[in-house]
Amino acid sequence: MKRLLFGVIAVVVATAACTHQPKDPIAELQDPTTCMQCHPQHYTQWSGSMHAYASQDPVFVAMNNRGQREAQLGTFCAQCHVPMAVANGRTDFTNFDPTQLSPAEDGVTCFFCHNVKAVTADHNNGLELAMDQTMRGGAQNPADTPAHDSAFDPTLMASQTNQSTMCGSCHDVVTPAGVALERTYTEWQSTIFAMNDPQKFLPVTCSGCHMISSTGVIAQGPGLNVGTRTDGFHDHTLAGIDTAISSFPDGSDQQNEIETELEGAIAIVGPTPTGGGAAPGGICVVPENGGELTVRVDSFQIGHDYPSGTAQDRRAWLEVNAYDGSGNVLLASGVVGSDQDPEDIDDPMINCTSAGSGACSGFWDRAVEADGVTPAHFFWQVASETSHLIRPSVTLDANSPLFDHSTTAVYPLGASIATVDHVEVKLHTRPITYAVLNDLVSSGDLPAMYASSIATVEDLGSMKMWTKATADPVTGCNPN
């Protein structure tokens, strides 16, 4: 999704006949509990989502408050985390306290997404609200409701038509220093998922993966006559990679939702053989260069880099352990303790300095301050970054050198190659580091109780084993 500057995009609407007047006042429509009356399932899912949590998150509160002191951020963070507060004219977010928010301003609300009349920029919340009584949605010929006027908006339609512009506008962030730090939308734009090829069911947009659609009733309640629609109901749990670290509705389910979202998306797997057939397992023990262990990581259903978003804060890395027949460890890489960051261990494969196949098994953006060396814990400190991420598919042309977008990590084994009996590989992912949390604790912005609340995600598809007994005698790779 390389930078694409949008002009104002006029939202094409087809408004249903409105026979019930007056509609609910704008102030009531801004309150999600008003929406709950006719959209109870949407409301329940949203209430346990990270969109609803956006303003309550202790890390956001701590980072905003510190950033206000150190960098006078104004509404920079608030414009995406509490956008309705900004839209309603609030400008002072120093010493921000989420408990002082009204329900209408708490998090990324229903009104904020469904009252957008134009997308004016592709980053830093370039969404222009109408601030009227019309709720926009992806359903053509919307049913009449006594609560609000209704309009069809193609930017909110099913995944193959909306082009991700609304999501991208908040999920790409350019810092005040001009660093394009969060690039999820930009990344998506460069992938096959953004291609317009209906015969291949493309594009697949943000909502296609994060708001799975199903046939269902969009609204229900007394006096409503709303029928079912194919792909009419969109899931509003909006799972990504982050989870709530404080008490929050459905917080215990968020980890399961993330693991379901990632299932099959990242895998340890070899390339598909020429002519088709099942791909090998992705772990090989080979004699090249005196004896090597190789691990190939590939992405299949992810329309952006991995990890994406705040990739400077996220951590994904391979843990690789090789054993002999007696269980003795011959090679151990990426063995990170539950209370450690990957940087805390002396492992050059994870803490690599150059991107590229064979050079790196730690996947995140290396963000540094102006001296080019000091790690930047907070976005306002970032002067530059080097990206080390798992790449998505960018072409359908099997003859293109870009067709294979995988990453292969190469581990030297030397003479011990002859005694390798089995190898275990896992991919771990964390949404944020202990270093960032501890820094916020030390400055007094984050209660210490949250500094140990990091959930580690492990995708079952990225857990593989190689055994000498089952390895292919020609390739040295595991068969599945």
Side-chain angles (χ1 to χ4, degrees):
M1 302 178 247
K2 270 300 147 197
R3 188 65 44 209
L4 175 62
L5 296 177
F6 287 94
V8 176
I9 300 175
V11 178
V12 180
V13 298
T15 307
C18 302
T19 58
H20 297 282
Q21 293 291 341
K23 305 297 184 179
D24 288 344
I26 293 174
E28 290 185 19
L29 293 174
Q30 290 186 14
D31 186 340
T33 60
T34 301
C35 308
M36 175 185 64
Q37 299 172 41
C38 293
H39 305 279
Q41 189 173 358
H42 293 88
Y43 177 83
T44 298
Q45 292 174 343
W46 169 83
S47 295
S49 75
M50 295 303 289
H51 275 199
Y53 190 64
S55 56
Q56 302 291 327
D57 181 7
V59 177
F60 157 66
V61 174
M63 200 171 289
N64 173 76
N65 288 344
R66 178 163 172 170
Q68 298 293 355
R69 295 195 309 273
E70 295 184 357
Q72 297 75 54
L73 294 176
T75 63
F76 186 82
C77 300
Q79 64 190 346
C80 282
H81 281 261
V82 280
M84 287 310 304
V86 176
N88 286 333
R90 182 171 174 176
T91 59
D92 183 8
F93 289 92
T94 57
N95 300 313
F96 174 68
D97 180 0
T99 64
Q100 301 303 308
L101 292 173
S102 68
E105 298 177 338
D106 194 357
V108 181
T109 64
C110 315
F111 189 88
F112 175 69
C113 290
H114 290 279
N115 194 248
V116 172
K117 70 175 183 179
V119 182
T120 62
D122 64 351
H123 61 280
N124 296 2
N125 184 8
L127 303 180
E128 182 180 347
L129 301 185
M131 298 300 280
D132 59 15
Q133 292 167 292
T134 300
M135 301 299 281
R136 285 97 172 143
Q140 299 188 54
N141 302 312
D144 185 42
T145 168
H148 54 76
D149 293 329
S150 301
F152 165 62
D153 182 348
T155 64
L156 290 168
M157 202 179 173
S159 63
Q160 285 184 263
T161 60
N162 67 39
Q163 294 302 310
S164 299
T165 53
M166 281 188 59
C167 302
S169 189
C170 263
H171 285 274
D172 271 24
V173 173
V174 178
T175 71
V179 179
L181 197 61
E182 297 183 33
R183 306 173 301 277
T184 303
Y185 178 55
T186 302
E187 292 162 5
W188 175 82
Q189 286 180 297
S190 70
T191 71
I192 62 170
F193 299 92
M195 294 180 180
N196 185 16
D197 191 344
Q199 290 187 337
K200 293 184 172 65
F201 303 99
L202 296 172
V204 176
T205 62
C206 303
S207 61
C209 290
H210 296 279
M211 299 183 72
I212 300 296
S213 60
S214 59
T215 298
V217 175
I218 299 174
Q220 54 190 307
L224 294 181
N225 183 23
V226 181
T228 60
R229 293 174 182 264
T230 301
D231 295 328
F233 184 91
H234 288 80
D235 187 282
H236 278 61
T237 54
L238 299 156
I241 201 68
D242 297 288
T243 58
I245 63 171
S246 56
S247 179
F248 199 69
D250 300 328
S252 60
D253 296 331
Q254 289 178 341
Q255 189 82 354
N256 293 332
E257 292 165 2
I258 291 171
E259 291 171 359
T260 298
E261 190 79 17
L262 284 177
E263 186 175 358
I266 300 287
I268 308 297
V269 64
T272 301
T274 302
I283 306 172
C284 306
V285 177
V286 294
E288 279 79 11
N289 300 314
E292 292 177 339
L293 163 63
T294 67
V295 178
R296 182 179 181 275
V297 187
D298 208 350
S299 68
F300 292 92
Q301 302 170 36
I302 296 184
H304 47 71
D305 294 358
Y306 185 85
S308 190
T310 56
Q312 76 280 3
D313 291 332
R314 308 201 191 287
R315 296 293 181 269
W317 72 96
L318 287 173
E319 178 182 345
V320 179
N321 294 283
Y323 305 89
D324 66 16
S326 300
N328 298 309
V329 177
L330 302 175
L331 179 144
S333 177
V335 183
V336 179
S338 60
D339 58 347
Q340 294 180 305
D341 290 329
E343 300 96 313
D344 294 339
I345 64 174
D346 185 17
D347 189 333
M349 282 297 296
I350 293 182
N351 299 304
C352 43
T353 56
S354 60
S357 182
C360 191
S361 62
F363 308 108
W364 63 88
D365 286 347
R366 275 64 171 176
V368 294
E369 297 184 16
D371 62 9
V373 177
T374 305
H377 287 174
F378 307 110
F379 69 84
W380 58 88
Q381 300 171 342
V382 177
S384 63
E385 57 85 23
T386 304
S387 187
H388 297 252
L389 305 176
I390 299 172
R391 302 302 179 185
S393 179
V394 297
T395 179
L396 295 172
D397 180 4
N399 295 316
S400 169
L402 300 176
F403 183 74
D404 184 358
H405 55 278
S406 65
T407 297
T408 300
V410 181
Y411 303 83
L413 287 175
S416 65
I417 184 176
T419 61
V420 177
D421 177 77
H422 61 282
V423 179
E424 297 175 349
V425 177
K426 299 178 181 178
L427 178 70
H428 305 282
T429 305
R430 290 186 189 153
I432 197 168
T433 66
Y434 288 108
V436 169
L437 298 183
N438 289 333
D439 201 341
L440 289 170
V441 170
S442 67
S443 65
D445 294 293
L446 182 70
M449 61 185 289
Y450 297 123
S452 59
S453 302
I454 304 176
T456 302
V457 179
E458 295 180 349
D459 175 22
L460 295 179
S462 62
M463 298 182 185
K464 283 290 181 73
M465 177 176 283
W466 177 97
T467 66
K468 186 175 184 178
T470 60
D472 185 296
V474 177
T475 65
C477 304
N478 54 324
N480 51 51

